[in-house]
Amino acid sequence: MCWVGNAMSRRIVSSRAQRPQIIHSLPALARRLAQWRARRERIGLVPTMGALHAGHLALVKRAQRRADRVIVSIFVNPTQFAPSEDLKTYPRTFAADVAALARIGADLVWAPSVETMYPHGFATHVVPEGPATVGLEDAFRPHFFAGVATVVAKLFIQCDADVAAFGEKDYQQLKVVTQMARDLDLKTRILAVPTVRERDGLALSSRNAYLSASERTAAPTLHRVLVECADNITSGQAIGRALTEGCAKLARAGFAVDYLEARNVDTLAPVQSAKDGPLRLLVAARLGKTRLIDNIAV
């Protein structure tokens, strides 16, 4: 046995992996939550679509530092996929996901069916504005953030979450979810977790599995170009020139760029110069059939 420090209590974690409880129904979830609340335990949530990697596990570990119990939801949400996107082929690795969560001591896996999340007659959707309508991901996936906001709001309520961990890799999504929780007076506090990367800089993503060997070799260029653009802007180069040069480098590496933008770190509003406040660089580009996104602070 080993002791692991927790912000609210001392939790005991077995040295041998213990399978988290798996729940598929709302009544069973409510019963488990009532037991935890009776012991005045704080609840953390990590919303995922499965195909877990080290980035997801970093979210779980962050939540464990802020809560007594951590729920990981695994639900491939159909409402955030357009008809042309990869809903049917999105990687599904449930058994491996549960095994990985067992190794780090997650308490519960919430794995609802589509019918549980969206029962017959479901007719209410959260349609976010603000950071959801700034011309980044929303310009290319206009359906996306309404699907995300609706399912995340439901997960927050279903899991009675005190805190929820989201990665900075999906930076616009992080801002949208934070705004939504604040605007709807949801009690869930959002924990932002830095992007986890491969040694060559590529941001971890479930969609990296789609890359061919040659594409995987080229993929880290995305992060390298972001770093170069940030360095150039910090050194005084005009933002427009830095981004134009960055787009050209990505094109030469085989990327089809959807956007490479400098935005205000809080509002995601466009900026003209480094004097317009703290900046974030955000990029989305296709490499073969795989669409990759990334971002860094300037």
Side-chain angles (χ1 to χ4, degrees), residues 81-214:
F81 288 80
S84 60
E85 293 180 334
D86 58 344
L87 173 60
K88 291 183 179 179
T89 60
Y90 192 86
R92 291 165 170 83
T93 57
F94 189 80
D97 294 344
V98 172
L101 294 172
R103 288 192 292 271
I104 62 171
D107 297 284
L108 188 152
V109 172
W110 169 228
S113 66
V114 173
E115 292 73 22
T116 295
M117 291 301 288
Y118 302 112
H120 178 71
F122 183 86
T124 302
H125 300 270
V126 179
V127 183
E129 297 182 355
T133 56
V134 295
L136 295 170
E137 285 300 287
D138 52 292
F140 294 87
R141 306 177 72 193
H143 59 284
F144 179 69
F145 286 120
V148 168
T150 300
V151 76
V152 169
K154 287 175 66 70
L155 289 169
F156 285 0
I157 295 167
Q158 291 168 347
C159 297
D160 194 25
D162 296 295
V163 296
F166 287 82
E168 290 184 349
K169 184 183 80 70
D170 298 284
Y171 193 78
Q172 188 178 8
Q173 174 179 278
L174 170 65
K175 291 298 180 181
V176 169
V177 169
T178 302
Q179 182 83 40
M180 179 203 68
R182 181 167 60 244
D183 289 350
L184 297 183
D185 299 319
L186 301 178
K187 74 173 186 178
T188 308
R189 181 179 177 183
I190 309 303
L191 307 175
V193 181
T195 302
V196 178
R197 301 183 180 278
E198 302 282 6
R199 290 188 176 184
D200 57 13
L202 179 64
L204 295 188
S205 170
S206 300
R207 288 187 169 91
N208 290 351
Y210 299 157
L211 296 169
S212 68
S214 61

